[in-house]
């Protein structure tokens, strides 16, 4: 199907889908590792690349290919390469496009494990990394060196939902001869399309909203054919590819992406407005709120505020901030205490002692991740039940 003639909701349901001679209406799961050839000559042609077709599921698999084509259509990307997890998507992107001695400028407000990958692992292999504040555009300009290959951001950021200016950062990256990479995990293409705003590469943890129901691990890297060629080259060789079963689950997840993201965002906004009105809450971080420092920018880049809300709990006089946050979390009956996000089940977490516990206390203070901060990934339950579950805030 030509993707440009249909609306995004239709692409979610229909794009990338193909059927076999059996005419199945739902995508088939190809749970096989290798593919048979009609002859030795055909095998040689497939391996030589002169004849298209599947060889081995580490290289290509029809179910994974359908997932890649669907997500590429949704992001408006020439090519998508599926990976075993969100982390392996970031690894494949850097290993495909950078060499020892190259330099990456990364936002200091990225997923905790992404910070570890850049600063502890990739640094050992000779990659230079500079971390700067997401919203300080001048700092990105200053961080550029002749060796800079990539700018790496997440917007909105985790857990404070700071919003980075994709267009401005893409301009600076391009002037430096570098590429802008956007981890679009929090928004998904249902809310934000970074390539349309000038970004070059998109990263996804499919584990989150693309799955949508907390079942499988997976990831993806998207961009032009030219940029994806070395990324795919790394993947098929290193083997951190997506399993066919997981791709089949994600294909089903993508079909409902637009209705789910709308429902998550609607509930998140309502909960954020309610939280703002609670005397026990010092501050709410949500891009859809007028009080958010980059609200106007967020509303230019995104079709909604998304599903993640974080807020600071005010401690009672006898409590520390951490005690107040933990008391609120421990008093919940319905909401799941877990660090995952993008699930139909609402989740609650204390970033300072979980997702960001490996970040030093100074770095946390610098980025605003206080001991009273609580993050909620709003699921699909009725919002009144979520408010009732946070009743400690109303006392
Ligand atoms: C979860 C997450 C990742 C890592 O994805 P995995 O699938 O867990 O490997 C990367 N970036 C963001 C923003 C995430 O939330």
């Amino acid at each position: 199907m030509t993707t440009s003639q249909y609306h995004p909701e239709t692409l979610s349901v229909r794009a990338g889908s193909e059927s076999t001679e059996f005419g199945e209406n739902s995508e088939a799961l190809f749970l096989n590792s290798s593919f048979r050839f009609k002859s030795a000559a055909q095998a040689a042609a497939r391996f030589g690349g002169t004849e298209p077709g599947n060889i081995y599921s580490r290289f290509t698999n029809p179910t994974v290919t359908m997932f890649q084509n669907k997500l590429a259509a949704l992001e408006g990307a020439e090519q998508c390469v599926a990976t075993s997890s969100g982390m392996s998507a970031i690894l494949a992107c850097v290993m495909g496009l950078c060499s020892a001695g190259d330099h990456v400028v990364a936002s200091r407000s990225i997923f905790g494990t992404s910070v570890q990958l850049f600063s502890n692992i990739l640094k050992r292999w000779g990659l230079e990394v500079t971390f700067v504040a997401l919203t300080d555009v001048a700092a990105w300009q200053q961080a550029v060196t002749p060796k800079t290959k990539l700018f790496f951001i997440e917007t909105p950021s985790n857990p404070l939902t700071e919003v980075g200016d994709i267009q401005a950062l893409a301009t600076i990256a391009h002037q430096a001869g570098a590429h802008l990479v956007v981890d679009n995990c929090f928004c998904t293409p249902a809310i934000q399309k970074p390539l349309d705003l000038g970004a070059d590469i998109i990263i996804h943890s499919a584990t989150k909203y693309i799955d949508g129901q907390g079942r499988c691990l997976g990831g993806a890297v998207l961009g032009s054919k030219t940029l994806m060629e070395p990324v795919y080259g790394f993947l098929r060789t290193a083997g951190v590819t997506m399993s066919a079963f997981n791709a089949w689950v994600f294909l089903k997840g993508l079909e409902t992406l637009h209705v789910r993201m709308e429902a998550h965002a609607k509930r998140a906004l309502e909960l954020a407005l309610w939280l703002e009105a609670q005397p026990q809450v010092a501050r709410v971080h949500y891009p859809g709120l007028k009080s958010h420092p980059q609200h106007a920018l967020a509303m230019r880049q995104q079709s909604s505020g998304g599903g993640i809300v974080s807020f600071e709990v005010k401690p009672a006089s006898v409590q520390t901030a951490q005690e107040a946050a933990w008391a609120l979390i421990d008093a919940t009956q319905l909401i799941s205490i877990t660090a995952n996000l993008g699930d139909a089940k609402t989740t609650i977490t204390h970033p300072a002692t979980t997702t960001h516990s490996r970040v030093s206390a100074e770095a946390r203070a610098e980025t605003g991740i206080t001991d009273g901060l609580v993050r909620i990934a709003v699921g699909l339950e009725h919002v009144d039940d979520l408010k009732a579950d946070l009743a400690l805030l109303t006392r």
Side-chain angles (χ1 to χ4, degrees):
M1 76 194 275
T2 33
T3 55
S4 54
Q5 83 189 92
Y6 293 110
H7 292 90
E9 292 83 352
T10 308
L11 295 177
S12 271
V13 179
R14 298 281 178 177
S17 190
E18 282 179 53
S19 66
T20 68
E21 60 187 277
F22 297 111
E24 67 280 4
N25 190 40
S26 187
E27 295 77 10
L29 169 54
F30 287 86
L31 210 47
N32 57 299
S33 47
S34 67
F35 296 84
R36 248 177 9 215
F37 311 110
K38 289 198 180 79
S39 63
Q42 187 183 45
R46 291 265 177 98
F47 272 89
T50 54
E51 181 189 299
N54 296 296
I55 299 172
Y56 186 58
S57 286
R58 173 155 43 78
F59 308 164
T60 59
N61 171 282
T63 310
V64 176
T65 302
M66 286 190 276
F67 166 76
Q68 292 176 154
N69 291 342
K70 193 186 280 291
L71 189 56
L74 288 171
E75 287 285 14
E78 260 177 29
Q79 202 177 334
C80 168
V81 285
T83 62
S84 58
S85 69
M87 290 320 301
S88 57
I90 300 171
L91 179 70
C93 176
V94 177
M95 294 301 257
L97 297 168
C98 298
S99 302
D102 283 344
H103 177 240
V104 173
V105 189
S107 161
R108 67 184 182 194
S109 309
I110 54 175
F111 187 61
T113 314
S114 307
V115 175
Q116 300 303 319
L117 178 67
F118 279 117
S119 49
N120 292 348
I121 297 174
L122 292 169
K123 241 179 198 168
R124 283 201 282 122
W125 297 90
L127 191 78
E128 299 289 331
V129 185
T130 308
F131 290 99
V132 299
L134 175 65
T135 54
D136 185 355
V137 175
W140 289 79
Q141 180 80 64
Q142 281 156 17
V144 166
T145 77
K147 292 290 222 174
T148 306
K149 285 284 182 335
L150 300 175
F151 276 18
F152 189 95
I153 68 167
E154 262 170 47
T155 178
S157 72
N158 180 23
L160 292 171
T161 74
E162 299 160 289
V163 176
D165 190 331
I166 297 175
Q167 222 154 13
L169 294 178
T171 304
I172 298 170
H174 296 162
Q175 279 164 356
H179 298 296
L180 174 63
V181 186
V182 178
D183 184 329
N184 202 24
C185 173
F186 269 37
C187 278
T188 81
I191 292 179
Q192 170 173 274
K193 292 182 71 184
L195 297 184
D196 289 352
L197 296 162
D200 305 286
I201 295 166
I202 294 170
I203 298 287
H204 273 293
S205 165
T207 316
K208 314 292 169 54
Y209 288 112
I210 290 177
D211 178 311
Q213 295 176 52
R215 295 162 292 190
C216 290
L217 281 166
V221 193
L222 300 102
S224 67
K225 283 205 164 89
T226 316
L227 286 174
M228 289 307 102
E229 196 186 305
V231 174
Y232 172 64
F234 170 78
L235 265 177
R236 64 177 268 171
T237 308
V240 280
T241 45
M242 180 179 282
S243 87
F245 178 82
N246 291 11
W248 179 75
V249 171
F250 297 141
L251 274 165
K252 293 287 118 197
L254 282 177
E255 286 188 2
T256 58
L257 183 70
H258 286 83
V259 285
R260 282 190 290 108
M261 294 315 290
E262 238 170 71
H264 283 297
K266 182 168 167 266
R267 286 159 178 74
L269 177 60
E270 197 177 329
L271 190 71
L273 287 166
W274 178 82
L275 286 167
E276 251 189 345
Q278 302 313 311
Q280 242 79 296
V281 175
R283 192 168 165 202
V284 184
H285 305 270
Y286 182 66
L289 290 177
K290 291 204 173 65
S291 60
H292 189 283
Q294 297 102 35
H295 175 66
L297 171 65
M299 293 302 99
R300 278 203 304 279
Q301 292 187 165
Q302 304 170 208
S303 62
S304 75
I308 315 287
V309 181
S310 64
F311 57 98
E312 265 169 60
V313 184
K314 252 188 229 165
S317 56
V318 292
Q319 276 177 322
T320 64
Q322 179 178 314
E323 281 166 352
W326 279 23
L328 174 73
I329 292 169
D330 289 343
T332 58
Q333 307 274 313
L334 181 75
I335 300 175
S336 311
I337 306 174
T338 173
N340 194 30
L341 60 98
D343 198 309
K345 295 182 174 72
T346 297
T347 66
I348 192 164
T349 188
H350 182 244
T353 51
T354 60
T355 52
H356 291 70
S357 58
R358 283 191 291 176
V359 179
S360 70
E362 301 81 67
R364 274 203 305 274
E366 230 184 296
T367 47
I369 300 168
T370 62
D371 288 347
L373 190 78
V374 172
R375 189 197 74 188
I376 293 187
V378 182
L380 300 177
E381 302 96 335
H382 196 290
V383 72
D384 288 349
D385 295 330
L386 302 178
K387 291 177 192 169
D389 211 31
L390 299 168
L392 216 58
L393 292 173
T394 64
R395 271 190 226 148

